[in-house]
Amino acid sequence: MECSLTARDRVGLQDFVLLDAYTSETAFLDNLRKRFHENLIYTYIGTLLVSVNPYKELGIYTKKQMDVYMGVNFFELPPHIFALADNVYRTMISETNNHFILISGESGAGKTEASKKILQFYAVSCPSTRLLDNVRDRLLLSNPVLEAFGNAKTLKNDNSSRFGKYMDIQFDHRGAAVGGHILSYLLEKSRVVHQNHGERNFHVFYQLVEGGEDDLLRWLGLQRSCQNYRCLVKGDCAKVTSINDKNDWKTVRKALSIIEFSESDIEHLFAIIASVLHLGNVQFDANIRGYASLSNSNELHWLSKLLGIQTHVLQEGLTHRKIEAKAEEVLSPFTTEHAIYARDALAKAIYGRTFNWLVNKINESLANKDSSRKTVIGLLDIYGFEVFHVNSFEQFCINYCNEKLQQLFIQLTLKSEQEEYEMEGIEWEPVPYFNNKIICDLVEEKHRGIISVLDEECLRPGEATDLTFLEKLEETLNGHPHFVTHKLADQKTRKTLERGDFRLLHYAGEVTYSVKGFLDKNNDLLYRNIKDVMRQSQNNIIKLCFPKTEPDTKRRPETVATQFKSSLAGLTDILMSKEPWYVRCVKPNSGKQPGRFDDVMVRHQVKYLGLMEHLRVRRAGFAYRRRYEVFLQRYKPLCPDTWPNWKGTAAEGVQRLVKHLGYKPDEYKMGRTKIFIRHPRTLFATEDAFDVCKHQLGTANKTPARLLTFFLILEIKLSFCSLKFIKGFMTRNQPACMDNSEYLAFVRQNYLTRLKDNLPKSILQRNAWLTAPPIMQEVQRSVTKHLGTSQMPLSSWFILQLKATASSLFRGRKENYPFSVARPFADTRISEQDINIKVLQTICQEGVKYSVPVIKYDRNGFRPRFRQLIFTQVAAYLVEEGKVKQRMEFSSLRGVSVSNLSDNFLILHIACDDVKQKGDLVLQCDYLFEALTRLSVVTNNKNLVKIVQGSVRFDIQPGREGFVDFKSGSESMVYRAKNGHLMVVSREMREIN
């Protein structure tokens, strides 16, 4: 982020959080527009990614770009979908928890493409083997298959997803993608039998007709012309210049094979697709009695062949309905109108159930057979808020879905912000925001919500119609501030509503819905005798889609709206159990034109995507927050005390830096690990100062540093630069002579003068001795030899220091310490070759300081498990083979308890307020004194270790405690006592004299 602050006037801000006028939609749009016109389509709001569809190739998704973003700090490079994908992945690996990425936006905004880019990034960045490559290929190729069967051309988008998709990508302990699982939501089945003008049916129909091999088409009874099939031409848009159906057909055929569809499955699948086309061509005439009769026996012939159902059975099912009369069933003939309804209902049912079979089949292919625990990253690519000229039942469901996701979005965002503030010890200030619960309740509330009223009308006896449903709504919801109809509206509003409309005031704005078709679409009924007909099919897929074991009670099945409501509740539960990340996709214009930014259209999307609401939440307290190490590393040249190297802690360095810069107390707060800056202008002023400083440093660096230092010293000491001194500097490494004698005398005097004021406090502080110039090194060796320290390797000096530290920690306080003194300390007890490569990749940036094998005792039941304990510069890691089981930042380490007896147990106490987090750790370590000494050194905290007698209380999780009891005995034992405590018995030690 910081690297772009100096270019903010030209290309805008990379993070909207830094907008000074963060409540202004105009300022938000200005920044988005500025970046869009510079081909910068990505912008952050904190960790949320805003993506504007460029409608052109930008060349920013290459393998080289992926490599650039792999393993890089989130804000270190310009915003990108790869940066978000990489950060989610690395966070999942390091914290071993589950995440999801919610991709939302209106049709044509680029949601499906964003999902593909994330999958492609993981395919390249994750560990690879031949087996894993198969999983990767199936994950990638599931996309074109689902797009073929679930996407269609609409007025707004040539590749619009007409279903919601949630995909879990499963990763093993090494971070390799080993499986996946897909959930689908609310396929728009009505598209199979009806398309608006300018729209198409699902892609797969056109791909089959245009790209299918001649032999295949002959076998299916199809002709190579979409104009011959009624359900493909209702939108008068069979050909689309941006879609190549022939090429897409080849991609789908290849994908089906790689996903492990058998030839038999593929054959039966295409037979079903062809049967829907033939079914759409079935026409009915009224006979002399006014009942429906089939007018085209050719289509019935192909249906019979493809579905494997006898012709006369099909004919009866399409023209008659079974009715129970007393104790027997009788056939009642359809009118032409009823026959058309039954035909369309069957076509929708066949396609909808086949789509569900397809998803399940793909899931079988993606399933990971290994039962060990996996972490997952979920991708939710779901329809955005929809507002058309005429909005029907589908838009009502889609917009209800968006209301629920907005509710979840704000809840999780507030929760995430509040948790970060509390974790950093910053006071949380409540954030005012619009709570859309009132709208969600309006739709889903039991007995009074719109879905309940709709279901009652669908199920009640008598002649229920769409208009009686509307009347019931008016009766139930009269006076609700977010609901209005023609009857309930004031005179001015009434002019904008038809008598069959109702209007909802969503969080994103007003949407008017036509009730026409609501009851039929919600019922989605298929006559029972038609189900019986389909159960006679010899097509293997149809057999699974219409099983003989399917319950066929007289109770009516759940309505579509109720099923969708239940599935949304399930989705919410899934998402609430994972860590959230967001991609908000924006459509810049309705004409799909590169470089055109429609302010009115974008402003509307900014509103209904909740971007301003999210920004307000992120800016409620502090606009900018960074870890102390990152902030200090960037801005340390601005303060003489911190430049070039700061020797204290990063937090102390930042405190010194901001004091020097003149930050006012209300402009910033110091957290436990981060600095919080309230106003963007404070950061901008700091960045501008840094830009000036950087220029000055760059100019100075043109002179070699050593020559610059030399001339500065001469200027201070001698006030002149003589030729003799220059000659002496040039011959300083030669034996003493007339040319360099004066210069070498100066060097000796200068070194001894500096040494006088910088003598080490202890002879053990070998690194604290000033580095001697070559002329003085022999003298320094003589001094160190006289002190008895010559020839000692640097590592030995460090080990000697560690032994001294261990003595101060344990001498006279722990029973078995005297027996450890003669045991040498080692640099580490686990070599890097013995640490899993994936773990090393995860933690290498933090710098591994020490590793040791330990036994970890479960918090519940105290079952022992072998683990590796690894200390880095900032955290301790508990590792099981190649899997990080727990990461404990040293800032959250409250202390370490050990007994005063001769056992080798330690209890790590970790600050933990969330019941979902793991509690304290109970460990056993054969190198106890060495490990704890290392820990006290790396944390720079000698008060960390606490020696206790008797018992130690530890947190299993917040609100639940456990105990470890210590005592001496004749032999060492570890067991769970009857009181539920872990009993550690240590052998009594004889005192060493």
Side-chain angles (χ1 to χ4, degrees):
M1 176 201 298
E2 290 87 350
C3 62
S4 77
L5 288 177
T6 52
R8 58 186 176 268
D9 293 333
R10 179 175 62 84
V11 300
L13 295 168
Q14 291 187 172
D15 194 334
F16 283 109
V17 167
L18 297 176
L19 272 179
D20 215 19
Y22 68 92
T23 60
S24 167
E25 270 190 9
T26 301
F28 191 101
L29 283 172
D30 285 345
N31 192 65
L32 203 61
R33 186 191 314 105
K34 198 179 288 185
R35 293 181 63 74
F36 176 75
H37 288 313
E38 292 288 337
N39 289 327
L40 300 171
I41 63 170
Y42 295 120
T43 313
Y44 293 136
I45 305 178
T47 55
L48 178 148
L49 182 68
V50 181
S51 169
V52 185
N53 195 335
Y55 293 120
K56 63 181 178 182
E57 289 294 329
L58 295 177
I60 59 174
Y61 304 109
T62 61
K63 169 67 167 60
K64 184 178 179 181
Q65 283 291 105
M66 292 183 187
D67 292 338
V68 167
Y69 278 91
M70 280 182 210
V72 178
N73 183 282
F74 189 54
F75 295 106
E76 200 170 309
L77 293 171
H80 201 292
I81 191 82
F82 292 160
L84 182 127
D86 180 70
N87 204 42
V88 176
Y89 176 74
R90 286 190 295 112
T91 306
M92 177 201 69
I93 294 297
S94 62
E95 298 179 2
T96 61
N97 55 0
N98 299 325
H99 297 253
F100 76 88
I101 304 171
L102 171 56
I103 306 170
S104 59
E106 76 166 56
S107 184
K111 300 187 299 297
T112 301
E113 285 302 309
S115 179
K116 287 181 190 175
K117 299 305 179 195
I118 293 171
L119 277 174
Q120 288 166 6
F121 180 82
Y122 291 147
V124 170
S125 63
C126 294
S128 179
T129 66
R130 186 171 180 180
L131 177 63
L132 296 177
D133 286 348
N134 288 338
V135 174
R136 179 199 66 191
D137 292 342
R138 291 173 197 167
L139 281 167
L140 289 174
L141 290 172
S142 66
N143 259 327
V145 173
L146 289 173
E147 282 184 20
F149 286 82
N151 289 24
K153 183 206 179 303
T154 65
L155 292 172
K156 294 192 172 186
N157 181 8
D158 290 351
N159 187 32
S160 176
S161 297
R162 306 317 299 163
F163 70 108
K165 181 179 75 172
Y166 175 79
M167 172 188 277
D168 264 340
I169 310 168
Q170 300 166 345
F171 297 87
D172 67 8
H173 63 277
R174 297 177 300 133
V178 293
H181 188 81
I182 297 167
L183 295 173
S184 64
Y185 298 93
L186 195 68
L187 178 72
E188 189 186 36
K189 293 185 294 186
S190 59
R191 183 168 294 274
V192 174
V193 296
H194 174 76
Q195 306 95 44
N196 294 324
H197 185 76
E199 297 191 346
R200 296 207 314 177
N201 209 322
F202 293 103
H203 292 323
V204 69
F205 294 111
Y206 305 91
Q207 292 171 2
L208 174 58
V209 172
E210 295 291 337
E213 298 78 7
D214 291 338
D215 289 344
L216 176 62
L217 293 186
R218 275 194 297 272
W219 182 77
L220 297 174
L222 298 178
Q223 298 174 350
R224 199 178 296 285
S225 172
C226 294
Q227 300 302 320
N228 292 330
Y229 304 99
R230 293 175 183 273
C231 61
L232 300 187
V233 295
K234 291 188 176 180
D236 195 24
C237 190
K239 293 278 188 182
V240 182
T241 55
S242 64
I243 299 175
N244 189 325
D245 291 312
K246 288 183 180 179
N247 284 349
D248 292 343
W249 168 258
K250 294 174 184 175
T251 302
V252 171
R253 281 300 306 257
K254 179 183 176 184
L256 288 171
S257 299
I258 292 175
I259 300 174
E260 291 188 335
F261 281 64
S262 68
E263 282 304 313
S264 174
D265 284 337
I266 295 173
E267 183 181 295
H268 287 123
L269 181 61
F270 294 155
I272 292 171
I273 300 306
S275 72
V276 173
L277 293 177
H278 288 297
L279 188 57
N281 279 0
V282 169
Q283 297 298 303
F284 302 96
D285 292 329
N287 61 23
I288 55 174
R289 298 172 62 187
Y291 296 128
S293 64
L294 284 163
S295 61
N296 191 334
S297 59
N298 185 51
E299 300 295 352
L300 199 63
H301 161 74
W302 284 109
L303 276 173
S304 174
K305 176 190 172 184
L306 297 172
L307 297 177
I309 302 173
Q310 293 181 13
T311 306
H312 73 276
V313 175
L314 271 172
Q315 183 168 356
E316 183 182 280
L318 290 170
T319 55
H320 291 76
R321 175 186 180 185
K322 279 185 182 177
I323 297 177
E324 290 191 4
K326 295 184 180 178
E328 61 179 353
E329 290 182 338
V330 296
L331 285 174
S332 173
F334 284 142
T335 63
T336 304
E337 184 180 344
H338 279 106
I340 292 171
Y341 175 87
R343 176 202 66 193
D344 290 351
L346 178 59
K348 290 187 290 182
I350 289 174
Y351 194 82
R353 295 189 183 205
T354 301
F355 184 81
N356 290 338
W357 172 87
L358 184 75
V359 172
N360 291 334
K361 188 70 178 176
I362 291 172
N363 283 335
E364 287 176 19
S365 172
L366 297 177
N368 176 44
K369 307 301 187 291
D370 183 0
S371 60
S372 60
R373 183 176 177 268
K374 305 293 180 294
T375 50
V376 304
I377 295 175
L379 290 179
L380 179 59
D381 172 5
I382 204 156
Y383 11 62
F385 202 79
E386 287 193 351
V387 186
F388 296 134
H389 180 65
V390 177
N391 301 289
S392 188
F393 177 77
E394 291 84 3
Q395 282 68 50
F396 170 76
C397 290
I398 286 169
N399 294 341
Y400 161 53
C401 171
N402 277 267
E403 286 287 356
K404 291 294 288 182
L405 291 176
Q406 173 68 6
Q407 187 181 37
L408 179 71
F409 174 51
I410 292 297
Q411 284 175 357
L412 290 176
T413 303
L414 282 171
K415 178 173 175 281
S416 172
E417 283 290 288
Q418 191 168 356
E419 283 176 352
E420 182 175 16
Y421 276 56
E422 290 173 354
M423 189 168 62
E424 290 291 328
I426 306 291
E427 184 180 352
W428 171 254
E429 303 167 5
V431 180
Y433 69 97
F434 171 64
N435 189 342
N436 69 333
K437 182 177 184 296
I438 187 174
I439 306 170
C440 293
D441 288 346
L442 169 64
V443 176
E444 67 185 12
E445 189 178 4
K446 284 186 177 180
H447 308 305
R448 284 183 49 82
I450 294 173
I451 290 176
S452 289
V453 174
L454 178 60
D455 284 356
E456 283 178 22
E457 280 300 292
C458 286
L459 301 176
R460 76 173 175 84
E463 284 297 318
T465 66
D466 294 325
L467 289 177
T468 62
F469 159 60
L470 183 60
E471 289 168 4
K472 190 68 180 290
L473 283 180
E474 290 170 335
E475 179 186 324
T476 308
L477 299 173
N478 186 8
H480 195 289
H482 291 265
F483 175 85
V484 68
T485 66
H486 185 275
K487 178 182 177 181
L488 300 178
D490 57 40
Q491 190 170 359
K492 182 180 179 182
T493 307
R494 191 171 293 163
K495 295 177 181 177
T496 64
L497 286 164
E498 298 292 334
R499 293 189 182 275
D501 292 348
F502 67 92
R503 181 174 294 163
L504 297 185
L505 180 55
H506 289 279
Y507 79 90
E510 295 179 346
V511 181
T512 302
Y513 299 97
S514 169
V515 295
K516 184 179 179 182
F518 259 63
L519 263 65
D520 278 348
K521 291 174 180 178
N522 189 46
N523 271 323
D524 194 30
L525 289 177
L526 189 63
Y527 293 121
R528 278 192 296 139
N529 63 302
I530 295 185
K531 289 183 184 178
D532 290 337
V533 169
M534 298 310 294
R535 288 175 187 139
Q536 298 181 41
S537 173
Q538 298 305 304
N539 182 300
N540 289 338
I541 297 174
I542 293 293
K543 283 182 181 179
L544 294 170
C545 292
F546 293 87
K548 289 183 168 58
T549 56
E550 181 180 1
D552 204 7
T553 63
K554 294 173 186 177
R555 284 187 58 193
R556 297 181 72 164
E558 271 194 336
T559 62
V560 172
T562 296
Q563 289 179 44
F564 187 55
K565 175 183 168 183
S566 300
S567 63
L568 273 185
L571 176 63
T572 301
D573 290 341
I574 290 171
L575 300 184
M576 286 293 284
S577 68
K578 295 177 172 63
E579 297 297 319
W581 303 78
Y582 306 99
V583 179
R584 294 293 199 239
C585 299
V586 175
K587 187 175 182 177
N589 62 76
S590 58
K592 306 165 192 170
Q593 299 170 353
R596 183 172 157 235
F597 191 92
D598 185 331
D599 279 36
V600 174
M601 186 173 184
V602 174
R603 186 185 295 270
H604 179 63
Q605 292 172 80
V606 165
K607 183 176 182 181
Y608 78 63
L609 286 170
L611 298 182
M612 296 302 296
E613 203 77 19
H614 184 77
L615 179 56
R616 274 193 289 273
V617 170
R618 282 287 278 114
R619 277 293 305 273
F622 297 87
Y624 175 91
R625 61 209 70 171
R626 279 295 177 275
R627 293 187 66 84
Y628 290 132
E629 294 83 1
V630 176
F631 189 86
L632 181 63
Q633 181 63 30
R634 180 167 182 81
Y635 296 118
K636 65 182 181 180
L638 297 178
C639 174
D641 293 341
T642 56
W643 175 261
N645 294 306
W646 172 253
K647 294 182 180 178
T649 67
E652 292 167 346
V654 170
Q655 186 72 69
R656 183 75 59 88
L657 176 60
V658 298
K659 184 178 179 181
H660 177 78
L661 292 173
Y663 281 23
K664 295 177 182 177
D666 65 335
E667 290 182 330
Y668 76 100
K669 282 280 190 296
M670 300 288 285
R672 292 190 177 95
T673 65
K674 297 177 184 178
I675 180 172
F676 288 67
I677 297 177
R678 190 176 296 278
H679 305 296
R681 60 178 177 269
T682 306
L683 179 66
F684 292 156
T686 306
E687 183 63 24
D688 290 340
F690 175 67
D691 198 43
V692 173
C693 177
K694 191 166 56 175
H695 176 72
Q696 292 172 345
L697 286 172
T699 303
N701 282 337
K702 290 176 183 176
T703 308
R706 295 183 68 184
L707 277 176
L708 177 63
T709 304
F710 169 70
F711 284 119
L712 287 173
I713 291 172
L714 291 187
E715 186 178 356
I716 294 167
K717 295 288 183 180
L718 305 175
S719 300
F720 69 96
C721 181
S722 69
L723 182 62
K724 194 171 184 179
F725 262 77
I726 295 174
K727 202 169 185 179
F729 172 76
M730 294 173 67
T731 59
R732 66 193 183 282
N733 293 323
Q734 298 175 11
C737 61
M738 289 291 293
D739 290 336
N740 61 18
S741 59
E742 193 170 334
Y743 174 78
L744 294 178
F746 164 72
V747 169
R748 288 190 196 94
Q749 181 183 353
N750 180 267
Y751 173 71
L752 292 172
T753 302
R754 288 186 295 121
L755 183 62
K756 181 185 69 173
D757 299 322
N758 294 279
L759 283 170
K761 295 178 182 178
S762 164
I763 62 169
L764 291 177
Q765 293 178 294
R766 183 182 178 97
N767 289 336
W769 288 82
L770 291 178
T771 302
I775 192 67
M776 298 294 293
Q777 285 176 359
E778 184 176 347
V779 177
Q780 187 180 50
R781 280 194 292 272
S782 298
V783 172
T784 54
K785 183 176 182 180
H786 178 72
L787 295 173
T789 60
S790 65
Q791 306 303 317
M792 183 178 284
L794 190 62
S795 60
S796 300
W797 275 89
F798 180 61
I799 296 299
L800 195 56
Q801 287 178 309
L802 287 177
K803 280 289 186 180
T805 302
S807 176
S808 66
L809 289 173
F810 300 108
R811 184 180 179 187
R813 303 175 67 198
K814 187 155 176 70
E815 194 174 274
N816 56 336
Y817 171 72
F819 296 87
S820 74
V821 173
R823 188 182 191 183
F825 281 5
D827 290 337
T828 187
R829 295 294 172 179
I830 305 173
S831 67
E832 287 196 357
Q833 289 81 7
D834 293 326
I835 300 175
N836 183 275
I837 184 65
K838 196 64 183 181
V839 174
L840 279 177
Q841 289 173 351
T842 302
I843 66 178
C844 63
Q845 290 184 338
E846 297 177 11
V848 177
K849 295 298 179 184
Y850 177 77
S851 309
V852 65
V854 296
I855 297 174
K856 179 244 182 185
Y857 287 83
D858 287 350
R859 300 173 186 88
N860 296 301
F862 300 117
R863 184 177 177 182
R865 302 179 186 277
F866 290 99
R867 299 284 187 265
Q868 293 176 343
L869 183 63
I870 302 174
F871 298 151
T872 68
Q873 193 67 50
V874 296
Y877 289 84
L878 193 68
V879 175
E880 177 192 10
E881 296 178 350
K883 186 175 185 180
V884 174
K885 299 293 289 184
Q886 191 168 350
R887 180 181 187 271
M888 300 144 281
E889 287 200 3
F890 293 142
S891 59
S892 67
L893 197 58
R894 294 186 289 118
V896 183
S897 295
V898 296
S899 81
N900 63 326
L901 303 177
S902 61
D903 58 272
N904 51 8
F905 273 70
L906 63 144
I907 295 94
L908 296 177
H909 300 284
I910 303 151
C912 176
D913 299 318
D914 187 346
V915 293
K916 294 181 180 178
Q917 291 180 342
K918 297 180 178 180
D920 298 342
L921 279 175
V922 179
L923 304 175
Q924 186 177 11
C925 179
D926 289 337
Y927 305 96
L928 181 78
F929 299 103
E930 179 181 282
L932 291 181
T933 303
R934 285 280 191 166
L935 181 61
S936 67
V937 170
V938 77
T939 59
N940 195 25
N941 185 358
K942 293 184 180 179
N943 297 319
L944 194 66
V945 179
K946 299 174 179 61
I947 311 294
V948 299
Q949 294 183 11
S951 293
V952 174
R953 190 198 72 81
F954 68 96
D955 290 332
I956 297 173
Q957 64 183 77
R960 289 186 62 201
E961 62 182 18
F963 291 88
V964 182
D965 297 336
F966 297 92
K967 69 177 184 178
S968 296
S970 57
E971 62 182 282
S972 299
M973 288 186 294
V974 180
Y975 60 92
R976 186 180 184 185
K978 290 182 180 179
N979 60 4
H981 297 187
L982 180 66
M983 177 59 71
V984 178
V985 182
S986 54
R987 194 173 180 180
E988 292 179 349
M989 307 291 287
R990 294 182 180 179
E991 191 173 339
I992 296 178
N993 295 320

